Amino acid sequence: MSLLESQKRVLSGMRPTGHLHLGHYHGVLKNWVRLQHEYECMFFVADWHALTTHYDDPEVIEDNVWTMVIDWLAAGVNPGSASLFIQSKVPEHAELHLLLSMITPLSWLERVPSYKDQQTKLNEKDLSTYGFLGYPLLQSADILIYKAGLVPVGADQVPHVEMTREVARRFNHIFGRDSGFVELAEVAIKKLGRKSSKMYRELRKEFLEKGNQESLEKAQAMLQEQQNISLGDRDRLFGYLEGGGKVILPEPQALLTEASVMPGLDGGKMSKSYGNFISMREDEDSIVKKIKTMTTDPARVRRTDPGDPEKCPVFKLHEIYSDQAQKAWVVEGCKSAGIGCLDCKKPIIDAIIDEQKPMRERARQYEENPDLVKSIVAEGCEKARSVARTTLEEVRQAMGLNYR
Ligand code: TRP
Ligand code: SF4
């Protein structure tokens, strides 16, 4: 696969540290399900990343790997459109991580915000480990090994994608200029044929001298259409076009996932660690109970006290689950004490139960047949490995490790 095509590849991972809840569903998984129709998608269980913080309770990881994959499938991630796999089953990630570590300055890792943040937040754990410092670089390896163009992540992960771009740039700069790069590029230009070579040179000049973005894109599209050049030459010409060396590892882009507005049962952010969540496959009685006891506007002590939806976490759920008319009914009824909080919660309970019904059904089919899940993941791993191996070959070659 050539560079521009792989730029349409989407890659994302999730750490298996607990059951997925409504926050994950609305914040992340719905997005994955949407993306799988538009792009080639690869989604993986980041079990090594989980180990960086949970090294002392690995059972958590083991328990959650398969349930998490089932949660993905339950949400509608389709193994026919997306490859699902487990990071540690694709050991190529580790080799690329090691190789990238040779050129990654310590200061880049130390200045990633999550490094200090997490150390402070999880202060009962010793996170002054080598593995934890390397967390973002392992993530870079996850992304670059597939030459992924798009990485859907939340805002907290954007600095990791930024660092990945820097690592890729540095890699290409150091290793993309094999000896005689310019000569080889010139030979490759000639192979394009008279008309195309002329066009390539003109567009390259336009871009390098005047920064004309349109010329760059035109030239890239032209290269993309060339049938009769080798992949190596194509990558070389892509790199030469921009004045650099060969682009071995293309820079990915973060695809920012909108912050989830899912409130927890106590009005805080829904999170496993606060125990204020409804999981993606919660049983019906428990959904009813949790919503019935959910925090409301504290001003509504009695049924006759008027309330303010703006101060009520239940109303945030209406923002997600209700249409305009229903929201208007809530606002009116709450402010005038015309409806009680249980009346207000009823449609939410129904909506969540309805939303989860198909998920529970899909999940049941997989839970009853664990082998099916394992074979989906095995197939995903195989696909992932074959892409990963090809990239590693190129990387080894570029780094002078291609002796046999
Ligand atoms: N660090 C990510 C998180 O905590 C998980 C992750 C690991 C990831 N590798 C990745 C996400 C590669 C995107 C791409 O959410
Ligand atoms: Fe909240 Fe609804 Fe009760 Fe108003 S009526 S306080 S919006 S639960």
Side-chain angles (χ1 to χ4, degrees):
M1 176 173 291
S2 63
L3 278 180
L4 279 187
E5 279 170 61
S6 81
Q7 293 308 84
K8 289 191 219 134
R9 182 179 284 146
V10 167
L11 174 108
S12 201
M14 219 188 259
R15 285 173 302 152
T17 52
H19 272 260
L20 300 188
H21 52 62
L22 289 185
H24 296 107
Y25 176 64
H26 285 270
V28 182
L29 291 174
K30 266 177 33 185
N31 198 30
W32 285 12
V33 170
R34 195 169 46 77
L35 287 167
Q36 75 187 357
H37 300 300
E38 285 170 57
Y39 299 98
E40 179 200 349
C41 287
M42 308 187 75
F43 300 126
F44 71 97
V45 181
D47 54 347
W48 281 334
H49 277 105
L51 262 186
T52 64
T53 50
H54 288 63
Y55 54 83
D56 54 357
D57 50 349
E59 314 79 57
V60 172
I61 300 172
E62 209 180 328
D63 291 347
N64 284 300
V65 168
W66 299 110
T67 26
M68 190 163 90
V69 174
I70 294 179
D71 280 336
W72 295 354
L73 294 164
V77 175
N78 177 356
S81 339
S83 307
L84 310 182
F85 62 98
I86 299 172
Q87 186 182 34
S88 66
K89 297 277 183 218
V90 187
E92 286 79 7
H93 291 221
E95 185 174 337
L96 184 59
H97 178 210
L98 174 84
L99 293 175
L100 295 177
S101 78
M102 306 301 168
I103 59 156
T104 305
L106 265 187
S107 60
W108 289 11
L109 293 166
E110 285 162 347
R111 74 165 192 232
V112 169
S114 59
Y115 182 56
K116 293 248 156 57
D117 287 359
Q118 291 288 94
Q119 278 186 336
T120 323
K121 226 164 101 195
L122 304 174
N123 64 348
E124 75 286 2
K125 237 175 221 163
D126 181 5
L127 289 184
S128 54
T129 57
Y130 182 55
F132 187 66
L133 178 65
Y135 186 112
L137 190 63
L138 178 57
Q139 188 162 348
S140 302
D142 296 338
I143 298 168
L144 296 175
I145 197 126
Y146 303 110
K147 301 188 178 182
L150 300 169
V151 185
V153 284
D156 62 318
Q157 298 288 314
V158 170
H160 297 175
V161 180
E162 276 305 313
M163 198 196 83
T164 303
R165 294 168 61 87
E166 284 169 34
V167 170
R169 215 172 298 146
R170 185 165 163 84
F171 184 94
N172 295 331
H173 184 75
I174 299 176
F175 301 113
R177 293 169 182 274
D178 38 4
S179 58
F181 174 74
V182 174
E183 289 77 7
L184 287 171
E186 286 295 329
V187 173
I189 295 176
K190 297 215 177 77
K191 289 190 204 151
L192 293 174
R194 260 181 65 130
K195 227 174 99 205
S196 300
S197 338
K198 184 153 171 268
M199 187 171 153
Y200 179 92
R201 283 190 215 282
E202 280 169 9
L203 292 169
R204 176 173 183 267
K205 195 156 162 241
E206 279 286 304
F207 174 68
L208 290 180
E209 287 175 9
K210 304 194 191 127
N212 189 338
Q213 194 65 28
E214 226 170 90
S215 309
L216 175 65
E217 281 161 23
K218 246 196 222 156
Q220 286 171 334
M222 188 266 282
L223 285 177
Q224 191 61 35
E225 278 161 24
Q226 287 287 325
Q227 306 285 329
N228 48 357
I229 55 172
S230 69
L231 273 188
D233 274 347
R234 195 195 299 263
D235 290 352
R236 204 167 273 121
L237 289 179
F238 270 117
Y240 192 55
L241 199 51
E242 297 183 62
K246 181 169 158 182
V247 176
I248 302 167
L249 300 175
E251 294 177 33
Q253 263 172 352
L255 205 59
L256 190 63
T257 309
E258 253 176 73
S260 167
V261 285
M262 185 63 66
L265 299 169
D266 55 3
K269 183 176 180 244
M270 185 175 281
S271 156
K272 177 191 60 125
S273 42
Y274 306 148
N276 63 354
F277 61 91
I278 292 179
S279 70
M280 273 178 52
R281 295 181 272 139
E282 185 100 27
D283 63 60
E284 294 198 7
D285 293 345
S286 172
I287 295 175
V288 173
K289 198 160 133 227
K290 283 185 173 178
I291 298 290
K292 277 191 173 164
T293 52
M294 181 174 172
T295 308
T296 59
D297 175 2
R300 285 205 83 179
V301 184
R302 279 172 295 257
R303 166 72 175 76
T304 47
D305 296 332
D308 180 358
E310 292 305 322
K311 296 189 182 131
C312 178
V314 176
F315 190 64
K316 293 209 192 102
L317 290 179
H318 278 288
E319 299 277 14
I320 296 168
Y321 289 106
S322 302
D323 59 15
Q324 286 305 336
Q326 190 151 30
K327 279 189 280 187
W329 169 77
V330 171
V331 173
E332 216 294 297
C334 180
K335 289 187 169 169
S336 64
I339 59 170
C341 289
L342 284 180
D343 304 323
C344 176
K345 287 172 170 180
K346 177 81 173 67
I348 298 291
I349 294 175
D350 294 343
I352 296 179
I353 290 177
D354 278 354
E355 175 177 75
Q356 297 205 353
K357 206 169 267 155
M359 292 201 231
R360 253 195 307 271
E361 259 152 44
R362 256 175 280 176
R364 189 168 42 84
Q365 164 203 345
Y366 293 110
E367 272 172 332
E368 283 168 2
N369 191 353
D371 284 347
L372 181 57
V373 183
K374 299 218 161 149
S375 79
I376 287 169
V377 169
E379 199 178 304
C381 286
E382 261 325 298
K383 260 206 199 138
R385 285 198 84 173
S386 100
V387 180
R389 279 196 206 105
T390 309
T391 307
L392 255 190
E393 276 296 309
E394 293 170 20
V395 167
R396 287 197 199 115
Q397 166 107 11
M399 293 180 85
L401 299 168
N402 60 334
Y403 33 79
R404 274 164 232 255

